[in-house]
């Protein structure tokens, strides 16, 4: 078990984003249906949310459902949507007790009415919480997010609210779903796959990437600590040389 006290509080990743992968394979390994994996995935979500709050991470983004996931069999999509609703209902107390604010990014218009309503309700109830932002990526596609940003910016240009010369990284940031969030410092992907899968393409420009072979339902706070300790061993140069960093240039 990794110990939280080993973490250097001065060098915490502010924003951790997790691709929760391997629920289906975890279940298959046990001779069970895929939905059994998703149900157990919720336990990992709870542990990692609690752990992030305890460690002092400011933003935790979880990739819960991609736009591509709408193409899965309807029965599996229904289970995932129902799990989302039941978890939101069940975990509201956990969010409130830990001063956690819920947010969501993605094309939420595509969600079933009940899921959208429940999500909006919990977002509203927790909106003044300040310790941790739990940001759920649901019905999310990074490319779609960027397309939407292009459209919004173009509209402002056509309406003379913005000039082409004014477009910079800040303007683009401000038109993404993540407009109020800092860039991602650490991306974690479970299940041994080494892909980004259309997740936060703009926001991970300088993120450290951490891959583990564990399937998501087996991932716990101790593994989150392991990932953070690994992150803290790395030198983030942002394009500079090691010497420049040492000299604070
Ligand atoms: C990836 O495993 C996981 C998902 C597509 C869904 C993640 C959802 C949860 C953990 C539960 C609900 C979430 C919340 C926030 C309450 P996979 O199905 O792609 O697994 P496989 O790659 O082994 O098939």
């Amino acid at each position: 078990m990794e110990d939280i006290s080993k973490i250097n509080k001065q060098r915490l990743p502010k924003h951790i984003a997790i691709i929760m992968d391997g629920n289906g394979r975890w279940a298959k390994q046990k001779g069970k249906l895929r939905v059994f994996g998703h149900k157990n995935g919720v336990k990992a979500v709870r542990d990692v949310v609690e752990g992030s709050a305890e460690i002092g991470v400011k933003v935790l983004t979880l990739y819960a459902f991609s736009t591509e996931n709408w193409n899965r069999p309807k029965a599996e999509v229904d289970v995932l949507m129902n799990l989302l609703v039941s978890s939101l209902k069940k975990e509201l107390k956990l969010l409130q007790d830990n001063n956690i604010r819920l947010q969501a990014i993605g094309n939420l218009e595509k969600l079933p009415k009940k899921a959208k309503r429940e999500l909006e309700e919990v977002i509203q109830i927790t909106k003044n919480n300040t310790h941790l932002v739990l940001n759920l990526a649901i019905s999310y596609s990074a490319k779609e997010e960027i397309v939407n940003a292009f459209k919004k910016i173009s509209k402002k240009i056509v309406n003379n609210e913005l000039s082409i010369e004014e477009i910079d990284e800040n303007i683009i940031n401000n038109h993404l779903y993540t407009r109020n969030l800092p860039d991602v410092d650490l991306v974690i992907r479970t299940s041994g796959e080494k892909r980004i899968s259309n997740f936060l393409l703009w926001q991970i420009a300088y993120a450290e990437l951490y891959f583990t072979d564990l399937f998501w339902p087996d991932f716990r706070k101790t593994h989150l600590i392991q990932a953070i300790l690994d992150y803290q061993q790395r030198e983030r140069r942002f394009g500079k040389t090691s010497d420049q960093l040492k000299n604070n240039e």
Side-chain angles (χ1 to χ4, degrees), residues 15 17 105 135 140 142 145-146 172-173 176-179 181-187 199-207 236:
H15 185 170
I105 55 172
N135 182 36
Y140 176 83
E145 177 182 30
I146 293 170
I172 294 179
N173 269 328
L176 295 171
Y177 301 143
T178 50
R179 60 186 71 82
L181 303 175
D183 270 356
V184 176
D185 299 302
L186 173 62
V187 174
F199 187 42
L200 302 172
L201 295 179
W202 171 273
Q203 301 87 338
I204 62 167
Y206 277 104
R236 302 185 75 200

Side-chain angles (χ1 to χ4, degrees), residues 19-28 34 37-46 49 62-66 69 72 76 79-88 91 102 134 136-138 189-191 193 195 215-217:
I19 304 175
M20 311 184 286
D21 198 10
N23 291 352
R25 278 164 286 162
W26 182 88
K28 198 173 172 199
R34 295 177 57 78
H38 295 317
K39 284 183 186 150
N40 281 277
V42 175
K43 294 182 192 164
V45 169
R46 190 181 307 123
V49 170
L62 298 178
Y63 204 0
F65 196 87
S66 69
N69 287 152
R72 290 195 176 186
E76 185 172 340
V79 166
L80 282 167
M81 290 300 141
N82 288 337
L83 270 181
L84 178 70
V85 174
S86 62
S87 307
L88 287 169
E91 305 303 342
L102 185 77
L134 170 59
L136 295 182
I138 304 173
R189 182 172 190 146
T190 56
S191 92
E193 307 289 355
R195 286 191 290 276
F215 290 136
W216 176 251

Side-chain angles (χ1 to χ4, degrees), residues 1-2 18 20 23 26 30 36-52 54-55 60 188 190 210 212 214-228:
M1 289 293 266
E2 283 299 351
I18 306 184
M20 311 184 286
N23 291 352
W26 182 88
K30 295 185 155 30
F36 183 68
H38 295 317
K39 284 183 186 150
N40 281 277
V42 175
K43 294 182 192 164
V45 169
R46 190 181 307 123
D47 206 63
V48 166
V49 170
E50 266 178 331
S52 300
E54 192 185 336
I55 293 164
L60 175 69
I188 299 173
T190 56
Y210 180 88
T212 165
L214 282 173
F215 290 136
W216 176 251
D218 287 330
F219 197 88
R220 288 292 177 276
K221 186 175 93 178
T222 181
H223 308 112
L224 177 69
I225 296 173
Q226 252 168 32
I228 294 175

Side-chain angles (χ1 to χ4, degrees), residues 33 67 94 114 139 159 197:
L33 297 175
T67 49
L94 173 105
K114 202 167 144 202
S139 186
N159 293 337
S197 303

Side-chain angles (χ1 to χ4, degrees), residues 10 37 83 99 128 174 226:
Q10 312 309 317
L83 270 181
N99 193 12
N128 294 321
N174 291 339
Q226 252 168 32

